[in-house]
Amino acid sequence: MFARITGVGSYLPGQPVSNDDLVLRGVDTSDEWIATRTGIRARHLAESGRTSSDLALEASRRALSMAGIDASGIDLIIVATSTPDFIFPSTACLLQGKLGNRGATAFDVQAVCSGFVYALTIAEKFIRSGSHHRALVVGAEVFSRILDWRDRGTCVLFGDGAGAVVLEADERPGILATALHADGAHHGILSVPGNVCGGQVTGDPFLRMDGQAVFKFAVRVLAEVAHECCDAAGVPPTGVDWLIPHQANIRIIEATARKMGLEMERVIVTVDRHGNTSAASVPLALDTAVRDGRIQRGQKIMLEGVGGGFTWGAVLLEF
Ligand code: UT7
Protein backbone atom coordinates (compact mmCIF):
# COMPACT_ATOMS: atom_id res chain seq x y z
CA MET A 1 0.00 0.00 0.00
CA PHE A 2 1.29 3.42 -1.01
CA ALA A 3 0.33 6.98 -0.12
CA ARG A 4 -0.51 8.93 -3.27
CA ILE A 5 -1.27 12.59 -3.89
CA THR A 6 -4.78 12.90 -5.34
CA GLY A 7 -5.29 16.65 -5.06
CA VAL A 8 -3.22 19.82 -4.83
CA GLY A 9 -4.15 23.41 -4.10
CA SER A 10 -2.57 26.71 -3.16
CA TYR A 11 -3.45 30.26 -2.27
CA LEU A 12 -1.70 33.62 -2.25
CA PRO A 13 -3.43 36.48 -0.42
CA GLY A 14 -4.06 39.93 -1.89
CA GLN A 15 -2.17 41.52 -4.75
CA PRO A 16 1.53 40.98 -5.55
CA VAL A 17 3.86 43.48 -3.88
CA SER A 18 6.80 44.14 -6.20
CA ASN A 19 10.36 44.96 -5.20
CA ASP A 20 9.74 48.53 -6.36
CA ASP A 21 6.64 48.64 -4.14
CA LEU A 22 8.90 47.87 -1.16
CA VAL A 23 11.15 50.79 -2.12
CA LEU A 24 8.04 53.02 -2.27
CA ARG A 25 7.08 51.76 1.20
CA GLY A 26 10.44 52.99 2.51
CA VAL A 27 12.63 49.87 2.52
CA ASP A 28 16.25 50.84 1.71
CA THR A 29 16.67 48.40 -1.20
CA SER A 30 16.29 48.07 -4.98
CA ASP A 31 14.70 45.73 -7.49
CA GLU A 32 18.16 45.11 -8.95
CA TRP A 33 19.66 44.02 -5.58
CA ILE A 34 16.76 41.71 -4.65
CA ALA A 35 16.34 40.16 -8.10
CA THR A 36 20.06 39.55 -8.66
CA ARG A 37 20.77 38.05 -5.23
CA THR A 38 17.56 36.05 -4.78
CA GLY A 39 15.46 35.86 -7.95
CA ILE A 40 12.51 37.34 -6.06
CA ARG A 41 10.34 39.82 -8.00
CA ALA A 42 7.23 39.95 -5.82
CA ARG A 43 5.60 38.62 -2.68
CA HIS A 44 2.05 38.55 -1.27
CA LEU A 45 1.20 39.96 2.15
CA ALA A 46 -1.89 38.79 4.02
CA GLU A 47 -4.47 41.44 4.80
CA SER A 48 -4.63 42.57 8.42
CA GLY A 49 -6.54 40.02 10.48
CA ARG A 50 -6.07 37.13 8.03
CA THR A 51 -4.28 34.22 9.59
CA SER A 52 -2.46 31.06 8.55
CA SER A 53 -5.63 29.00 9.02
CA ASP A 54 -7.52 31.38 6.68
CA LEU A 55 -4.90 30.89 3.96
CA ALA A 56 -4.78 27.15 4.70
CA LEU A 57 -8.56 26.96 4.25
CA GLU A 58 -8.41 28.39 0.72
CA ALA A 59 -5.58 26.07 -0.35
CA SER A 60 -7.28 23.06 1.28
CA ARG A 61 -10.59 23.67 -0.48
CA ARG A 62 -8.79 23.68 -3.84
CA ALA A 63 -6.89 20.46 -3.03
CA LEU A 64 -10.06 18.72 -1.80
CA SER A 65 -11.91 19.82 -4.92
CA MET A 66 -9.21 18.36 -7.20
CA ALA A 67 -9.26 15.11 -5.20
CA GLY A 68 -13.05 15.06 -5.50
CA ILE A 69 -13.65 14.48 -1.82
CA ASP A 70 -15.50 16.30 0.91
CA ALA A 71 -13.69 17.58 4.03
CA SER A 72 -15.69 15.06 6.09
CA GLY A 73 -13.82 12.26 4.27
CA ILE A 74 -10.44 13.33 5.68
CA ASP A 75 -9.16 11.38 8.70
CA LEU A 76 -5.83 13.18 9.22
CA ILE A 77 -5.00 16.90 9.07
CA ILE A 78 -1.41 18.09 9.43
CA VAL A 79 -0.52 21.76 9.13
CA ALA A 80 3.11 22.80 8.83
CA THR A 81 3.54 26.36 10.05
CA SER A 82 5.90 28.56 12.02
CA THR A 83 3.35 31.36 12.12
CA PRO A 84 0.38 29.69 13.85
CA ASP A 85 -2.81 31.66 14.54
CA PHE A 86 -2.37 31.13 18.28
CA ILE A 87 0.05 29.55 20.73
CA PHE A 88 -2.74 27.01 21.04
CA PRO A 89 -4.97 25.41 19.83
CA SER A 90 -3.09 24.19 16.79
CA THR A 91 -3.66 25.77 13.39
CA ALA A 92 -4.65 22.27 12.21
CA CYS A 93 -7.56 22.23 14.68
CA LEU A 94 -8.61 25.74 13.63
CA LEU A 95 -8.49 24.66 9.98
CA GLN A 96 -10.47 21.55 10.85
CA GLY A 97 -13.19 23.71 12.44
CA LYS A 98 -13.34 25.99 9.38
CA LEU A 99 -13.57 22.99 7.05
CA GLY A 100 -16.35 21.48 9.13
CA ASN A 101 -14.47 18.21 9.59
CA ARG A 102 -15.11 16.49 12.91
CA GLY A 103 -13.10 13.72 14.48
CA ALA A 104 -10.02 13.52 12.26
CA THR A 105 -6.58 13.42 13.88
CA ALA A 106 -5.25 17.00 13.65
CA PHE A 107 -1.95 18.56 14.68
CA ASP A 108 0.72 21.06 13.63
CA VAL A 109 4.30 20.39 12.62
CA GLN A 110 7.00 22.94 13.35
CA ALA A 111 10.01 22.51 11.08
CA VAL A 112 10.07 26.02 9.54
CA CYS A 113 10.86 25.91 5.80
CA SER A 114 11.16 22.10 5.86
CA GLY A 115 7.72 21.90 7.45
CA PHE A 116 5.78 20.66 4.45
CA VAL A 117 8.29 17.93 3.65
CA TYR A 118 8.20 16.87 7.32
CA ALA A 119 4.38 16.91 7.38
CA LEU A 120 4.06 14.95 4.14
CA THR A 121 6.50 12.33 5.43
CA ILE A 122 4.57 11.96 8.69
CA ALA A 123 1.27 11.64 6.80
CA GLU A 124 2.78 8.94 4.60
CA LYS A 125 3.82 6.93 7.68
CA PHE A 126 0.27 7.17 9.10
CA ILE A 127 -1.24 5.99 5.82
CA ARG A 128 1.21 3.17 5.20
CA SER A 129 0.65 1.93 8.76
CA GLY A 130 -3.02 1.42 7.85
CA SER A 131 -4.31 3.61 10.68
CA HIS A 132 -5.43 6.47 8.37
CA HIS A 133 -6.60 6.59 4.77
CA ARG A 134 -7.06 10.18 3.62
CA ALA A 135 -4.81 12.99 4.80
CA LEU A 136 -4.88 16.71 4.22
CA VAL A 137 -1.32 18.06 4.43
CA VAL A 138 -0.89 21.82 4.44
CA GLY A 139 1.91 24.37 4.60
CA ALA A 140 0.58 27.81 5.58
CA GLU A 141 2.43 30.93 6.67
CA VAL A 142 2.02 34.63 7.39
CA PHE A 143 5.73 35.43 7.69
CA SER A 144 4.98 39.12 7.11
CA ARG A 145 3.89 39.20 10.78
CA ILE A 146 7.35 38.28 12.06
CA LEU A 147 9.42 40.50 9.75
CA ASP A 148 11.35 43.51 10.99
CA TRP A 149 10.68 45.99 8.17
CA ARG A 150 13.76 47.97 9.26
CA ASP A 151 15.99 44.95 8.54
CA ARG A 152 16.46 45.02 4.76
CA GLY A 153 18.58 41.87 4.90
CA THR A 154 15.49 39.81 5.75
CA CYS A 155 12.25 41.73 5.09
CA VAL A 156 12.62 41.65 1.30
CA LEU A 157 12.95 37.85 1.24
CA PHE A 158 9.71 36.51 2.71
CA GLY A 159 5.99 36.44 1.90
CA ASP A 160 2.67 34.88 2.89
CA GLY A 161 0.81 31.96 1.32
CA ALA A 162 -0.47 28.41 1.65
CA GLY A 163 -0.31 25.13 -0.23
CA ALA A 164 -2.08 21.83 0.40
CA VAL A 165 -2.24 18.26 -0.84
CA VAL A 166 -4.65 15.38 -0.30
CA LEU A 167 -2.75 12.15 0.29
CA GLU A 168 -4.67 8.89 -0.02
CA ALA A 169 -3.98 5.19 0.49
CA ASP A 170 -3.54 3.57 -2.93
CA GLU A 171 -2.11 0.40 -4.42
CA ARG A 172 -0.27 2.50 -7.02
CA PRO A 173 2.78 4.59 -6.09
CA GLY A 174 2.93 6.98 -4.46
CA ILE A 175 5.59 8.30 -2.26
CA LEU A 176 8.67 6.23 -3.01
CA ALA A 177 11.21 7.44 -0.45
CA THR A 178 11.64 10.08 2.23
CA ALA A 179 14.53 11.48 4.26
CA LEU A 180 14.33 13.94 7.15
CA HIS A 181 17.18 15.50 9.14
CA ALA A 182 17.87 18.21 11.69
CA ASP A 183 20.88 19.63 13.48
CA GLY A 184 19.99 21.83 16.42
CA ALA A 185 23.59 22.99 16.81
CA HIS A 186 22.75 25.50 14.07
CA HIS A 187 19.57 26.88 15.67
CA GLY A 188 21.02 30.39 15.86
CA ILE A 189 21.53 31.08 12.14
CA LEU A 190 17.80 31.39 11.39
CA SER A 191 15.35 32.02 14.20
CA VAL A 192 12.68 34.16 15.84
CA PRO A 193 14.26 34.17 19.30
CA GLY A 194 11.28 35.45 21.26
CA ASN A 195 8.25 34.23 23.19
CA VAL A 196 5.29 35.42 25.21
CA CYS A 197 5.65 35.35 28.99
CA GLY A 198 3.51 36.96 31.68
CA GLY A 199 1.63 39.02 29.09
CA GLN A 200 4.81 40.42 27.52
CA VAL A 201 6.97 39.53 24.56
CA THR A 202 10.26 38.22 25.90
CA GLY A 203 13.35 38.21 23.69
CA ASP A 204 13.11 39.28 20.05
CA PRO A 205 9.83 38.67 18.14
CA PHE A 206 11.36 39.20 14.69
CA LEU A 207 13.00 36.82 12.21
CA ARG A 208 16.81 37.01 12.42
CA MET A 209 19.14 35.33 9.96
CA ASP A 210 22.82 34.92 9.16
CA GLY A 211 22.16 34.89 5.41
CA GLN A 212 25.54 33.63 4.26
CA ALA A 213 25.65 30.79 6.81
CA VAL A 214 22.13 29.74 5.78
CA PHE A 215 23.07 29.91 2.12
CA LYS A 216 26.10 27.62 2.48
CA PHE A 217 24.27 25.15 4.72
CA ALA A 218 21.26 24.97 2.39
CA VAL A 219 23.31 24.30 -0.75
CA ARG A 220 25.20 21.46 0.95
CA VAL A 221 22.31 19.64 2.61
CA LEU A 222 19.82 19.97 -0.27
CA ALA A 223 22.23 18.16 -2.59
CA GLU A 224 23.05 15.51 0.04
CA VAL A 225 19.46 14.72 0.94
CA ALA A 226 18.37 14.54 -2.71
CA HIS A 227 21.01 11.90 -3.36
CA GLU A 228 20.07 10.05 -0.15
CA CYS A 229 16.42 9.92 -1.20
CA CYS A 230 17.26 8.79 -4.74
CA ASP A 231 19.50 6.03 -3.38
CA ALA A 232 16.73 4.85 -1.03
CA ALA A 233 14.29 4.59 -3.94
CA GLY A 234 16.83 3.13 -6.39
CA VAL A 235 16.23 6.04 -8.77
CA PRO A 236 19.24 7.92 -10.24
CA PRO A 237 19.09 11.71 -9.70
CA THR A 238 18.82 12.19 -13.46
CA GLY A 239 15.73 9.92 -13.37
CA VAL A 240 13.83 12.65 -11.52
CA ASP A 241 11.39 14.37 -13.92
CA TRP A 242 10.82 17.47 -11.81
CA LEU A 243 12.77 18.93 -8.89
CA ILE A 244 10.81 21.17 -6.53
CA PRO A 245 13.23 22.59 -3.97
CA HIS A 246 12.24 24.99 -1.22
CA GLN A 247 11.61 28.34 -2.91
CA ALA A 248 13.91 30.71 -1.02
CA ASN A 249 16.61 31.82 -3.42
CA ILE A 250 17.21 31.09 -7.11
CA ARG A 251 20.95 30.73 -6.54
CA ILE A 252 20.39 27.96 -3.95
CA ILE A 253 17.93 26.28 -6.33
CA GLU A 254 20.38 26.45 -9.25
CA ALA A 255 23.23 25.06 -7.15
CA THR A 256 21.06 22.14 -6.01
CA ALA A 257 20.02 21.32 -9.59
CA ARG A 258 23.64 21.47 -10.73
CA LYS A 259 24.75 19.05 -7.99
CA MET A 260 22.00 16.62 -9.08
CA GLY A 261 22.98 16.90 -12.74
CA LEU A 262 19.55 18.31 -13.67
CA GLU A 263 18.94 21.04 -16.25
CA MET A 264 17.01 24.06 -14.93
CA GLU A 265 14.25 23.12 -17.45
CA ARG A 266 13.38 20.30 -15.03
CA VAL A 267 13.22 22.50 -11.94
CA ILE A 268 10.00 24.21 -10.83
CA VAL A 269 10.71 27.82 -9.84
CA THR A 270 8.05 30.08 -8.31
CA VAL A 271 10.22 32.07 -5.88
CA ASP A 272 10.07 35.04 -8.29
CA ARG A 273 6.29 35.33 -7.74
CA HIS A 274 5.97 34.91 -3.98
CA GLY A 275 9.37 35.05 -2.30
CA ASN A 276 10.12 32.67 0.54
CA THR A 277 6.82 31.47 2.01
CA SER A 278 8.56 28.97 4.33
CA ALA A 279 6.42 25.82 4.79
CA ALA A 280 4.06 26.93 2.01
CA SER A 281 6.72 27.21 -0.68
CA VAL A 282 6.97 23.59 -1.83
CA PRO A 283 3.20 22.92 -2.15
CA LEU A 284 2.75 26.34 -3.82
CA ALA A 285 5.29 25.37 -6.48
CA LEU A 286 3.84 21.85 -6.81
CA ASP A 287 0.33 23.20 -7.32
CA THR A 288 1.53 25.73 -9.90
CA ALA A 289 3.25 23.06 -11.99
CA VAL A 290 0.38 20.57 -11.75
CA ARG A 291 -2.20 23.15 -12.81
CA ASP A 292 -0.12 24.54 -15.69
CA GLY A 293 0.30 21.00 -17.03
CA ARG A 294 4.05 20.56 -16.60
CA ILE A 295 3.68 17.82 -13.99
CA GLN A 296 1.89 14.77 -15.36
CA ARG A 297 0.66 11.56 -13.72
CA GLY A 298 3.36 8.91 -13.51
CA GLN A 299 6.26 11.36 -13.39
CA LYS A 300 8.87 11.30 -10.61
CA ILE A 301 8.94 14.42 -8.47
CA MET A 302 11.54 15.35 -5.87
CA LEU A 303 10.33 17.75 -3.14
CA GLU A 304 12.95 19.34 -0.90
CA GLY A 305 12.84 21.53 2.18
CA VAL A 306 15.49 23.31 4.24
CA GLY A 307 15.14 25.83 7.02
CA GLY A 308 15.39 26.89 10.63
CA GLY A 309 16.30 24.33 13.22
CA PHE A 310 18.34 23.60 11.21
CA THR A 311 16.06 21.15 9.40
CA TRP A 312 16.14 19.58 5.96
CA GLY A 313 14.50 16.76 4.06
CA ALA A 314 13.27 15.34 0.78
CA VAL A 315 10.37 13.32 -0.57
CA LEU A 316 10.62 11.41 -3.85
CA LEU A 317 7.23 10.51 -5.28
CA GLU A 318 5.55 9.24 -8.38
CA PHE A 319 2.75 11.69 -9.11
O1 UT7 B 1 14.66 29.09 4.14
C1 UT7 B 1 15.96 29.59 4.13
C2 UT7 B 1 15.82 31.07 4.10
N1 UT7 B 1 16.97 31.84 3.89
C3 UT7 B 1 17.65 31.96 2.72
O2 UT7 B 1 17.45 31.30 1.75
C4 UT7 B 1 18.70 33.02 2.68
C5 UT7 B 1 20.03 32.52 2.20
N2 UT7 B 1 20.92 33.64 2.07
C6 UT7 B 1 20.85 34.49 1.00
O3 UT7 B 1 20.04 34.28 0.12
C7 UT7 B 1 21.80 35.63 0.94
O4 UT7 B 1 22.75 35.52 1.98
C8 UT7 B 1 21.08 36.99 1.03
C9 UT7 B 1 20.28 37.22 -0.23
C10 UT7 B 1 20.17 37.03 2.25
C11 UT7 B 1 22.10 38.13 1.17
O5 UT7 B 1 23.02 38.08 0.10
P1 UT7 B 1 24.57 38.23 0.41
O6 UT7 B 1 25.26 38.20 -0.88
O7 UT7 B 1 24.92 37.20 1.44
O8 UT7 B 1 24.62 39.72 1.00
P2 UT7 B 1 25.21 40.23 2.39
O9 UT7 B 1 24.29 39.90 3.50
O10 UT7 B 1 26.63 39.83 2.50
O11 UT7 B 1 25.14 41.79 2.13
C12 UT7 B 1 25.88 42.38 1.06
C13 UT7 B 1 25.53 43.85 1.02
C14 UT7 B 1 25.67 44.55 2.37
O12 UT7 B 1 26.17 45.85 2.10
P3 UT7 B 1 27.71 46.22 2.33
O13 UT7 B 1 27.99 45.91 3.76
O14 UT7 B 1 28.46 45.32 1.39
O15 UT7 B 1 27.78 47.65 1.96
C15 UT7 B 1 24.27 44.64 2.85
O16 UT7 B 1 24.06 45.72 3.73
O17 UT7 B 1 24.17 44.02 0.62
C16 UT7 B 1 23.52 44.87 1.56
N3 UT7 B 1 22.11 44.49 1.62
C17 UT7 B 1 21.18 45.03 0.83
N4 UT7 B 1 21.22 45.97 -0.12
C18 UT7 B 1 20.10 46.29 -0.75
C19 UT7 B 1 21.53 43.56 2.42
N5 UT7 B 1 20.22 43.50 2.15
C20 UT7 B 1 19.96 44.39 1.17
C21 UT7 B 1 18.81 44.78 0.48
N6 UT7 B 1 18.91 45.72 -0.47
N7 UT7 B 1 17.60 44.21 0.73
Side-chain angles (χ1 to χ4, degrees), residues 27-30 33-34 37-38 113 152-153 156-158 190 209 211-212 214-215 246 248-249 251-252 276 306-308 310:
V27 180
D28 180 16
T29 189
S30 66
W33 191 95
I34 301 171
R37 305 252 177 164
T38 71
C113 303
R152 66 177 182 170
V156 303
L157 304 175
F158 296 90
L190 178 53
M209 179 173 70
Q212 292 192 1
V214 169
F215 193 102
H246 171 45
N249 182 310
R251 293 185 295 145
I252 296 175
N276 184 346
V306 62
F310 232 74

Side-chain angles (χ1 to χ4, degrees), residues 11-13 44 46 52 55-56 59 139-143 159-163 277 279-281 284:
Y11 179 74
L12 291 167
H44 289 246
S52 287
L55 276 47
E141 303 280 13
V142 284
F143 257 51
D160 303 336
T277 56
S281 95
L284 266 162

Side-chain angles (χ1 to χ4, degrees), residues 242 244 268 285-286 289-297 299 301 319:
W242 293 104
I244 308 185
I268 307 298
L286 173 65
V290 169
R291 287 181 191 266
D292 70 22
R294 276 178 290 174
I295 291 182
Q296 299 286 326
R297 285 282 170 209
Q299 289 184 328
I301 319 293
F319 187 69

